[in-house]
Each structure stands twice: as C-alpha cells, then as structure tokens.
Amino acid sequence: MFDETSRQARKAETAAAVLEAARDEFERVGFEKANLRAIATRAGVSAGTVLHHFKDKRELLHAALFDELDRTLKRALAVPGSGPLEA
C-alpha cells in the first residue's frame, strides 16, 4: 500500500542526510573543491538523488547554511534569559 506520509518522511530524511554530508564536505575541502559525487557518497545516495533535492552545489550550500542558521537561532531562542546580551 502506498503511504504518502512515510514517503514524505523518507524524502525529508534523505534531504537531511544530504545537507549533513554537504556541510561536512564543505568544511573539509571548501566550497570550490567540494563535488556532488563526494557529497552523495557521504550521504549514501546517488548524485542524481542529490540533484533531485537541490538543483546545484550553490543551492546545496545555501540550504546547508540556512539550515544551520535556523538550528542555531532555535537553540538561542530556547534558552530563557533575562541577563545582559553578553551572557
């Protein structure tokens, strides 16, 4: 039976794995030297799967950076604080 919810969950998991692999690869070799095949191998998917989720390496970099920024912002906002900004 076709389960759209589990299909969407698998798709989101794959995209998350690709983003994580891309972050690792960008940190390891830099944007210019990073390539989609290496990112795909790290994520355990094909290069075509990477391109299914992200149109090119630049879009992948943007998605990885914004994902990391979003996580950092959520962590920062989750910490209650009434002290000075420096804290």
Side-chain angles (χ1 to χ4, degrees):
M1 177 173 205
F2 184 77
D3 184 358
E4 184 63 27
T5 303
S6 64
R7 182 178 175 277
Q8 291 298 335
R10 284 191 310 274
K11 188 173 181 179
E13 288 173 8
T14 300
V18 169
L19 283 177
E20 187 64 34
R23 266 193 296 278
D24 291 346
E25 189 70 7
F26 293 143
E27 287 177 14
R28 191 173 70 79
V29 300
F31 177 77
E32 292 300 321
K33 291 183 180 177
N35 68 69
L36 293 179
R37 287 189 205 287
I39 291 168
T41 298
R42 256 180 201 276
V45 299
S46 71
T49 298
V50 173
L51 292 173
H52 174 74
H53 290 277
F54 306 95
K55 76 176 187 178
D56 57 22
K57 188 169 73 167
R58 186 175 306 274
E59 184 176 295
L60 188 53
L61 175 66
H62 289 173
L65 291 174
F66 283 112
D67 185 55
E68 185 64 29
L69 180 61
D70 186 52
R71 282 197 254 171
T72 301
L73 180 61
K74 285 178 181 172
R75 280 193 311 264
L77 294 175
V79 176
S82 59
L85 183 58
E86 295 85 21

